[in-house]
Amino acid sequence: MEFAELIKTPRVDGVVLHRPFMPTVEGTLCLTGHHLILSSRQDNTEELWLLHSNIDYIEKRFVGSLGTIIVKCKDLRIIQLDIPGMEECLNIASSIEALSTLDSVSLMYPFFYRPMFEVVEDGWNMFLPEEITLTLLTDEWRLSSVNKDFGVCPTYPQLVAVPKAVDDDTLRKVATFRHGGRFPVLSYYHKKNGMVMMRAGQPLTGTNGRRCKEDEKLINATLRPGKRGYIIDTRAINVAQQAKARGGGFEQEASYPQWRRIHKAIERYNILQESLIKLVEACNDQSQSMDRWLSKLEASNWQTHVKEIVTTACLAAQCIDREGASVLVHGTEGTDSTLQVTSLAQIILDPCCRTMRGFQSLVEREWLQAGHPFQQRCAQSAYSNSKARLEAPVFLLFLDCVWQVLRQFPCSFQFNEHFLVLLFEHAYASQFGTFLGNNAAERLKLKLPQKTVSLWSWVNRPQEMERFLNPLYEPNNLVIWPSVAPQSLLLWEGVFLRWNRSSKCLDEAYDEMVHIIEYNKELQSKVNALRRQLAQLETGDGLLETP
Amino acid sequence: MEHIRTPKVEHVSLIDRASPRKPCVGTLYLTASHSIFVEHDAERHRETWVLHSLVCLVEKLPTTPAGCPLLLRCRNFQVFQFIIPQEKDCQDVHASLTRLSRPERYAELYCFSFNPNTDKEAREEGWSAIDLQAEYRRMGLPNHLWQLTMANRDYRVCDTYPSDLYVPKSVTTPIVVGSSKFRSRGRFPTLTYYHRDNHATICRSSQPLSGFSARCLEDEQMLQAITSSNPGSSFMYVVDTRPKLNAMANRAAGKGYENEDNYSNIRFQFLGIENIHVMRSSQQKMFEVCDLRSPTMTDFLWGLENSGWLKHIKAILDAGVFIARAVAEEGVSVLVHCSDGWDRTAQACSVASLLLDPFYRTLKGLMVLIERDWVSFGHKFSHRYGHLDGDPREVSPVMDQFLECVWQLSLQFPCAFEYNERFLLHLHEQIHSCQFGNFLGNSQKEREELRVRERTHSVWAHLWMNRADYINPLYRPDHSQTQGVLRPATAPYCFKFWRGMYCRSEQVHQRPPTVTDVLTTVREESQQLEAELSAQQEVPRGTAHPPVLSCFLMMCKMEIKLCALHCIFYLLKCRFPCHRGEPESLLQGVARNKLKSSDPDLSTNSDQESGVTDLSCLSPSSGEDSVKDPDSDEAAYSTA
């Protein structure tokens, strides 16, 4: 077993663990292939089990022979381990570094994890693409298996929904005209008025304005006679212009006269990663200066990104719901900002996406199947000081936006904030296979459904689910329009200040809320029972009266 | 009435900032106390009432083809924009409102004409609802350490203090008089809060007239007596809430701060809260941020930082935390002062009391606290909140900041406060509106001279009567958070922008219900169900052959019961509305928002006009029919 080679010291006694807002624990530190474990070996104290894959960065410090390792986690937690003995400390540190940066996916914990629970409903089979889209299909749309062997588009799933009027040959041609072969596919069908949202990669117009008749035909096929559609390009116009030089580009008015193009500036990649790093740095700043905090918060630009994404999603939703127009969304690759917009727009438009099951389905459909490269994006989090290449908190930003909407509409979501935090954690480090790989093709190759457990299998067990249900939920079938004013968009404390403050009082308030709602339900059922009793009495009395 | 040039203007449009494209047309009436806008719509006849005394600025904007826009800015941060067709009418209304919103004499204030339907007895009872002597008794005074001094009877020693004051038992009238001569405006050190658990106290005063070297034996004796009145500690803290630089500058004017060498057993500390002028301009800067049209996140955060507002709020809370910690954890008494001891001192003392004693976190307790630390100790309400046309340099949001501190604390301790945000907002409004006499004038003495007790009504009775609206649903008297001393975190990120207060004009309409709204509704419903159930249990259990009489009684009771049940089911139905046909349009929001003289509490964003409408708010105001949220970037959406 190759892990053993990486573990230089498997066990150290007398290690002291410091965690924010928790008492220090002294105990034995153990390293296993996938976990860092600290146990005081007393019955009543909690053990620390930390996945190596959750470790973003470690720092070493020495005072005499006492070494200290500061472990910075991808979930933004920072813990400190005081380890007696210089050599042990160095060994532990280098072991952790090696184990937390394993190259091979197949060495990741999900391939070794065996569930301690019975899998009742297998999450791997819960959201099959056929089922997902089946409900959306009308006589205008069909499921195409043109990508069955991932030959047309390596980042698309095997089945995609496309207009019925367009055959597979046309799709193949369109794929050559779109970045990464990501030809326009159906993302969302608005039942109310039959309008649709599609997503794609950028068109490869290049500097000389290449056209593709098939592409025009495909997207025009989604328009109602005499109607116009909207193309939402998630890049600023100058960024889109620059893309031409690299073979990309955008839809020219001349070629797409029935479409109106709108540019919105949603940032990508390293800009987002830097934004996250700055934000987390601001949150961890111990200085007591208000000016410094506000200026760092502002300089991180994180809230600006949130505002931009929510605004663009509102725009897409408005085009569909208010203007009665179909929408095509793309950025460059169509795997990041595009998905933020299409998935958030569905939260706004579709009440199903605000249910537990519906939201899981949305993540599965619009993120996992749609080819968001989770493994690349979530390889590092806010503490890593290695140069970010493909890392970016794209999914975290999406979750942040969902949280903003949830906070503004506290009764319209079946799930609660804890569920969003859970998804954030598991996207970065998990015992489940759900977020491994970068696209459907990779997942198939890794045989994830056979070899790993799905996060959904675990979450949807009634025992677990309970924690993630919103007690205030009342199904609301309407479109919800979130406010995008800066004062309506708050810092997501549940993630960014989670380890910097005691949550005791807020947790108590949550419990109190649950208590109030449950008590009310209890009373209601009592009254209902009495009512039935009364109804019986009433008829009984009626009988009494007659003689 | 002589100031009203035009009592009525027809065809006026009221623009809602939430959706400026949909004005509603109606008639604007000017009365002695209110501007009233009545919408012309035959079906709805909605009314918007704006109290003149709440208006802080009347602004005539440049004429447009639609007419002359007139902007009313209110002291509770609401904004109303009317469009008046005729230039002449607009001028008249502008002139009338400008005059009416700036009363020159106390007699013009609304509280002297406000006449709710209550008899004399009820009014007097209202005035005795909050009794400060009872409050001192509640704290355990007088006792073997502290006594009531007669020195300030008839305001002989200090005309801005109350007449009844507590000083250490050993302090004689000559010491009081001597000490008062050494303090700005005669405001000598006196007790404001007594911590029963350990005898530590919070005392307050104004700055000493120490200059660079002056001393006063009586003042030194006074402080020594305060220290000795706390058997648990050999020293006391003297806290100057001003920044050190300000305090030092005061020395040149013969004022200043205590020299540790002259007083035995004191530890001196500056707490760095800025003065009223800094606070006024800070709040002004913050309004400018709130006023921005479609600001970017950077505009907003930069503006918030630049205003310095949250920094000041943090400074005040930090001061409160320092004092509370000294009292509760170190068991040391604290003397608090600033310059005159009626602004920052009031803030610091009341925040500290709130942290120390759970009583002040109850509805009644906050009233008592405000009555004690603010009203009785001579916070200059009329100057600070510009009740009369006067020196604008006297105006400052001192009380706003205290209320905001309470709100910030309620975010950290959601179960600890019996009152909710709405209570703080209404309180804020009442402080500015002068509908009640409590906050009139600048001292207890002035209020007595104005005979407010005979001529006006008390706000406390009014708020108490409507207390159901102000209850925090998460509060439980037996909850652990409601017990003992609060120890808030004061890291910068703990402080939030108070949208409920500063974005009043936009928030009243079309907002999905907050968690508090929902929980309040659920709790009310639970109470009704409880009442129903307990009533039900009184019904005698029918035996197999009940005697005729009891059977009859049972029938009678049952009829009532069924009625009640129907009510409940009706309410339940309202709780789960399906598609409610017509969504509320904007003006309904305004109409809800109207200020009726008989019930001024409808004046803010009360969704609680009646139980039934309130229940309907469980379903967020959303949907295809509803008007889009005011905040969403309109420009970004104009895609057509």
Side-chain angles (χ1 to χ4, degrees), chain B residues 541-558:
Chain B
R541 293 275 150 206
T543 50
H545 300 286
V548 183
L549 185 65
S550 79
C551 182
F552 173 71
L553 280 174
M554 196 166 105
M555 296 282 292
C556 294
K557 279 193 178 175
M558 230 144 52

Side-chain angles (χ1 to χ4, degrees), chain B residues 205-229:
Chain B
S205 70
S206 59
Q207 64 187 335
L209 304 176
S210 53
F212 290 98
S213 58
R215 293 182 62 163
C216 168
L217 187 64
E218 289 91 341
D219 196 62
E220 287 160 25
Q221 285 173 331
M222 176 69 110
L223 264 60
Q224 180 56 49
I226 293 173
T227 307
S228 337
S229 302

Side-chain angles (χ1 to χ4, degrees), chain A residues 260 314 318 493 519 524, chain B residues 481 496 525 530 637 639:
Chain A
R260 221 196 106 167
C314 283
Q318 183 164 18
E493 297 181 26
Y519 180 59
Q524 275 178 25
Chain B
Q481 267 181 47
K496 308 279 147 43
E525 191 193 275
E530 270 172 354
Y637 292 177
T639 50

Side-chain angles (χ1 to χ4, degrees), chain A residues 234-253:
Chain A
T234 60
R235 301 163 296 179
I237 178 76
N238 59 323
V239 178
Q241 291 278 11
Q242 285 158 12
K244 282 185 179 176
R246 291 187 299 274
F250 50 85
E251 295 83 355
Q252 298 290 349
E253 282 83 354

Side-chain angles (χ1 to χ4, degrees), chain B residues 156-380:
Chain B
R156 273 175 301 197
V157 178
C158 173
D159 62 356
T160 59
Y161 261 179
S163 53
D164 293 339
L165 289 162
Y166 284 84
V167 291
K169 202 129 204 185
S170 60
V171 169
T172 57
T173 301
I175 293 181
V176 169
V177 174
S179 167
S180 82
K181 290 194 172 128
F182 188 64
R183 295 272 168 182
S184 273
R185 304 188 190 257
R187 293 170 68 93
F188 59 89
T190 174
L191 178 136
T192 172
Y193 174 75
Y194 176 77
H195 200 58
R196 269 192 123 142
D197 301 354
N198 59 9
H199 308 295
T201 57
I202 303 175
C203 295
R204 59 185 287 173
S205 70
S206 59
Q207 64 187 335
L209 304 176
S210 53
F212 290 98
S213 58
R215 293 182 62 163
C216 168
L217 187 64
E218 289 91 341
D219 196 62
E220 287 160 25
Q221 285 173 331
M222 176 69 110
L223 264 60
Q224 180 56 49
I226 293 173
T227 307
S228 337
S229 302
N230 177 6
S233 172
S234 57
F235 70 97
M236 75 184 288
Y237 284 109
V238 175
V239 159
D240 190 328
T241 56
R242 299 170 292 184
K244 187 173 183 183
L245 211 63
N246 301 22
M248 283 173 59
N250 263 298
R251 286 203 299 196
K255 299 166 187 171
Y257 53 91
E258 292 80 356
N259 183 341
E260 273 185 348
D261 301 336
N262 297 345
Y263 293 83
S264 46
N265 308 316
I266 68 162
R267 290 192 193 166
F268 188 83
Q269 178 82 30
F270 287 111
L271 290 180
I273 303 174
E274 297 290 348
N275 66 26
I276 58 167
H277 310 294
V278 174
M279 300 307 191
R280 178 177 57 243
S281 83
S282 167
Q283 198 188 41
Q284 189 53 44
K285 281 186 197 151
M286 195 180 55
F287 291 152
E288 284 160 18
V289 178
C290 302
D291 243 17
L292 291 174
R293 281 263 165 209
S294 318
T296 65
M297 192 56 84
T298 301
D299 293 339
F300 176 72
L301 289 175
W302 189 85
L304 195 60
E305 181 200 337
N306 189 44
S307 76
W309 182 256
L310 289 179
K311 179 172 67 186
H312 300 314
I313 298 293
K314 174 170 155 57
I316 295 163
L317 198 55
D318 276 331
V321 169
F322 177 91
I323 298 165
R325 192 178 293 149
V327 169
E329 275 158 37
E330 298 179 58
V332 178
S333 292
V334 185
L335 171 66
V336 185
H337 71 73
C338 47
S339 300
D340 291 317
W342 49 43
D343 295 315
R344 289 171 270 202
T345 299
Q347 288 174 331
C349 290
S350 50
V351 168
S353 301
L354 198 71
L355 295 175
L356 285 165
D357 192 337
F359 172 65
Y360 303 119
R361 297 170 227 145
T362 65
L363 206 56
K364 179 92 181 273
L366 186 66
M367 296 178 184
V368 167
L369 182 64
I370 290 174
E371 189 69 28
R372 188 191 74 201
D373 276 351
W374 297 82
V375 177
S376 85
F377 273 107
H379 176 63
K380 304 205 292 173

